Amino acid sequence: MSLNQIGALSATPIASDSGHTAGGEPATGVVSASAVWRSPPANIRVSVQKQGPEIDRLSPSPPMSPVRGGIRADLSVACQALMEAPTEAVIEHRSGGTGGKEGKGVPVYVMMPLDSVTMTNGVNRRKAMNASLQALKSAGVEGIMMDVWWGLVEREAPGEYNWGGYAELLEMAKKHGLKVQAVMSFHQCGGNVGDSCTIPLPKWVLEEMNNDPDLAYTDQWRRRNNEYLSLGCDTIPCLKGRTPIQCYSDYMRSFRDKFSHLLGDTIVEIQVGMGPAGELRYPSYPEKDGIWRFPGIGAFQCYDKYMLSSLKAAAENYGKPEWGSTGPTDAGEYNNWPEDTNFFKKEGGGWNSEYGDFFLSWYSQMLLDHGERILSSATSIFENQGVKLSVKVAGIHWHYGTRSHAPELTAGYYNTRYRDGYLPIARMLARHGAVFNFTCIEMRDHEQPQDALCAPEKLVQQVTSATQEAQVALAGENALPRYDEYAHEQILKAASLSENDEMCAFTYLRMNPELFQADNWKKFVAFVKKMKEGKDVHKCWEQVEREAEHFVQVSEPLVQEAAVALMH
């Protein structure tokens, strides 16, 4: 397949080694979001708007290198399956992990594109998708992870489920001998990092939210967020006579019944979505429309009438009814920094007062109760089905070095310099035998803007300690696309929790055309091989890459055969 044909299939010009696109036009210097991450030069700065004068801040993420010329023709079809939507890879511990296999090592799962199933409930780019699965299997990948969107399956009417596209995709995975981790995605796709398409909530849910705007999370400025239903209405029969928890439960039950023949064999894990981006958190840092920018502190999301009703009852029960009419009024705005606000400042901040403890305890407990309700239902539904359950928690590492940890507080994690906010989450998950899925595993503290006191390594260490104390399995993922060995080495280091323990899973962001470039693909296959062999195998990267070359070569004829089919 030529570069011209790849570009035509993807509707994306691809630069060749000559510095021109496949169409013969001069290649521009525009950098795509899938470009390789580099360590940030110390002099790269961006301006972040705060209350008061502008202050120069370090860039929130490393700059990206230009897209390299030329994609390997033998990997072209696999590239096409991923050209328009990002994917992730999940790596899981063989012993006690999703696959239930014994022995050391960490098999790899690859997340499918967000739009793998179309709005008409078919498989998107079917031939290319099939070629990708063949290539992944031949490269030693264990399986795939896929979002199972509520907004697609139950889109038209309550209780009417169309599993068509997912049935076909699951059969494709089974045919290729790939395991599947299914994500019950009860959130909107679109508006978060990496979202390449838009899949709203079901039509009938949006109708009810339009009739009653308080079903949406709301900030103090009455700005509504339709990414996910407010947890404040979890037990209110506000959705055509059903509660949100009942809707989530009915959805999971229908999935179980439809695919019972695949559970425990092909389908090995159910990740239960619990908030925006599928994470157990409040939508405190919404990127859509530029509302929030890294590294802002975010904003509390407790101003819909259902949340305020709960707050009022909690304040009365506490003996301070005057605390129940609103959340903190001095917590600043989305893009403030902690010291800009009276509530989050280190000296005399409201977060460290009796009122602050009352509010933050209530706010975080509401999130824990939400997780408990959904997970209790999921545990009952998937009991004795041979699948693991998992829950994703956000890795909010900015301002971690401050006393108040403001961005974590607004997201619902009551974690400060004096309080562990992740142990309660870990204990809740442990009660149900669920996996604690965490992010930002690839990051090193010095790669992040230090004036924002980012500390992803320290955050990962804290979460690791919490999961070990609660005796719950820990999974992880990288927060940003990385293809370099420096990031791979950090992931390998973080995945080794202790001398006798490893992470049970790791999500690799992300499978896309950039990953299929020859050098990146070779590094990725070597990384997968090293993870699968386990931490006790001591080999240099060069040796592992040489051994991994076999997997790259094995995938060539399969992908080339699929390329011919795609061209006809």
Side-chain angles (χ1 to χ4, degrees), residues 241-442:
R242 289 187 297 168
T243 70
I245 296 297
Q246 286 175 329
C247 290
Y248 305 148
S249 300
D250 291 344
Y251 183 85
M252 290 188 287
R253 192 174 295 109
S254 176
F255 179 88
R256 178 201 65 189
D257 294 344
K258 175 67 177 180
F259 301 114
S260 59
H261 61 294
L262 299 176
L263 292 173
D265 180 17
T266 297
I267 302 171
V268 293
E269 180 177 332
I270 303 294
Q271 185 172 109
V272 187
M274 295 190 172
E279 298 168 333
L280 177 63
R281 66 172 175 88
Y282 294 97
S284 56
Y285 49 100
E287 289 195 299
K288 189 177 181 181
D289 300 325
I291 296 172
W292 172 88
R293 297 182 303 278
F294 180 95
I297 58 177
F300 292 112
Q301 306 291 310
C302 59
Y303 292 88
D304 63 77
K305 68 182 181 184
Y306 302 105
M307 291 290 286
L308 287 175
S309 176
S310 173
L311 177 60
K312 182 174 184 292
E316 291 173 352
N317 185 60
Y318 188 80
K320 295 279 190 178
E322 64 273 19
W323 289 352
S325 61
T326 181
T329 56
D330 56 354
E333 299 181 7
Y334 284 98
N335 295 304
N336 283 144
W337 286 38
E339 289 305 306
D340 297 334
T341 74
N342 286 326
F343 189 78
F344 294 120
K345 65 182 182 181
K346 63 182 180 182
E347 298 290 350
W351 64 274
N352 201 26
S353 65
E354 182 187 1
Y355 166 74
D357 181 61
F358 158 76
F359 174 80
L360 294 170
S361 295
W362 166 80
Y363 189 69
S364 60
Q365 189 61 48
M366 288 288 283
L367 187 65
L368 284 169
D369 290 346
H370 172 69
E372 185 90 56
R373 281 189 287 267
I374 301 179
L375 200 49
S376 295
S377 176
T379 301
S380 174
I381 291 168
F382 292 105
E383 188 176 13
N384 300 321
Q385 297 293 321
V387 296
K388 287 274 188 179
L389 297 179
S390 67
V391 173
K392 187 176 178 182
V393 177
I396 303 174
H397 59 84
W398 52 103
H399 301 297
Y400 182 85
T402 63
R403 297 182 190 179
S404 62
H405 293 234
E408 293 164 85
L409 299 184
T410 57
Y413 307 151
Y414 190 0
N415 191 57
T416 71
R417 182 166 296 181
Y418 315 118
R419 190 182 190 279
D420 189 340
Y422 299 100
L423 186 56
I425 298 174
R427 286 174 172 161
M428 185 269 287
L429 299 182
R431 286 195 292 273
H432 300 279
V435 173
F436 190 123
N437 187 294
F438 199 61
T439 188
C440 73
I441 305 301
E442 88 287 7

Side-chain angles (χ1 to χ4, degrees), residues 461-484:
Q461 290 170 1
Q462 180 187 351
V463 168
T464 297
S465 297
T467 56
Q468 289 176 331
E469 182 174 341
Q471 296 185 315
V472 64
L474 176 64
E477 68 177 48
N478 51 311
L480 298 172
R482 293 284 292 267
Y483 311 100
D484 56 290

